[in-house]
Each structure stands twice: as C-alpha cells, then as structure tokens.
Amino acid sequence: ATAEAPPPPPTEGPDYDRLDIRVGKILKAWKHPDADGLYVEEVEVGEEEPRTICSGLVNFVPEEEMQERSVIVLCNLKPRNMRGIKSNGMLLCASDEAHENVEMLTPPEGAVPGERVKFGDYSQPQMLPDTPN
C-alpha cells in the first residue's frame, strides 16, 4: 500500500499566514563595527547556512545574553543593508509603550530552529508564506 501525499497548502488564508515567522537560535552575536546601537547575529533558522541579522538591541539586551539564545525571527523580509552589513531578517521583540523596556520573544522549550510559528486555528492548514517583497 502506498501512502497518500498530503494535500498542498492552501493558497488563501488570513494575512498573518503570509508572514514567515520561525523559531531561531542565535549562534553568536557581536556589536556592529560601524553602528553603536546595532548587534550583528548569526542565526540558525533551519536553512543550509545561518542568516546574518542586524538588530538594534544594544541598549536593551547585554551582549552576553544574546549568545546561544532561542528567538523568534521574521524571515521573509527583503535583505537590507545596515551600515555595510546585509541583514536577512528581524528578531521579534515586545516593548512597553514608552519603548524603555524591550524583550526578545522566546519560543517554548523544545522548539527547533526552522519550525514555523502558527497563529489562529491550529486545526486549519497554514498557507505558504510570501516571498520577500
């Protein structure tokens, strides 16, 4: 008996399904050599190579807390040059209204880099994310 192939992902769905939000793991992070407020991170997101991502978290998260940390990453952004370094994604954070307290979003224990974050009705299939615009 041959197993049936799973049905293809839907082509229509809620707008938030268009976001390619994945579990990531910062492999290493360092201060950007040309921008005081930026970190440069190598982030594992389940692809062949880690992504380079720049984030403006220097004033909110100590460098040692950035190392080997599980994070949530928005992956389908167009690459952006940030002071000479191409950033390929965004670490997702939450802050208070005054933007004085900023914390990175953290996936649940046991989440694997590359797993896609899902919103809404878990019984419904999730459509494929948009490609970078």
Side-chain angles (χ1 to χ4, degrees), residues 7-110:
T11 56
E12 292 184 14
D15 285 342
Y16 52 75
D17 267 3
R18 298 181 186 285
L19 301 172
D20 186 4
I21 301 175
R22 296 187 223 161
V23 172
K25 180 163 185 159
I26 298 174
L27 303 176
K28 63 181 177 178
W30 61 96
K31 289 185 178 172
H32 192 298
D34 298 322
D36 292 340
L38 295 178
Y39 284 124
V40 181
E41 304 100 13
E42 284 186 10
V43 184
E44 168 62 42
V45 292
E47 297 171 339
E48 197 171 303
E49 297 287 327
R51 287 186 180 215
T52 299
I53 297 177
C54 296
S55 61
L57 296 172
V58 168
N59 296 324
F60 304 103
V61 182
E63 188 172 349
E64 59 272 9
E65 289 182 23
M66 297 288 291
Q67 310 304 322
E68 295 290 318
R69 182 173 183 153
S70 292
V71 292
I72 302 294
V73 182
L74 179 55
C75 291
N76 60 339
L77 295 173
K78 181 191 263 186
R80 183 172 174 209
N81 188 351
M82 297 184 77
R83 296 283 188 106
I85 295 178
K86 189 181 284 188
S87 182
N88 290 288
M90 179 186 292
L91 303 183
L92 296 184
C93 298
S95 75
D96 59 11
E97 191 172 342
H99 203 68
E100 294 171 351
N101 298 298
V102 177
E103 295 184 16
M104 291 190 287
L105 299 183
T106 304
E109 188 81 26

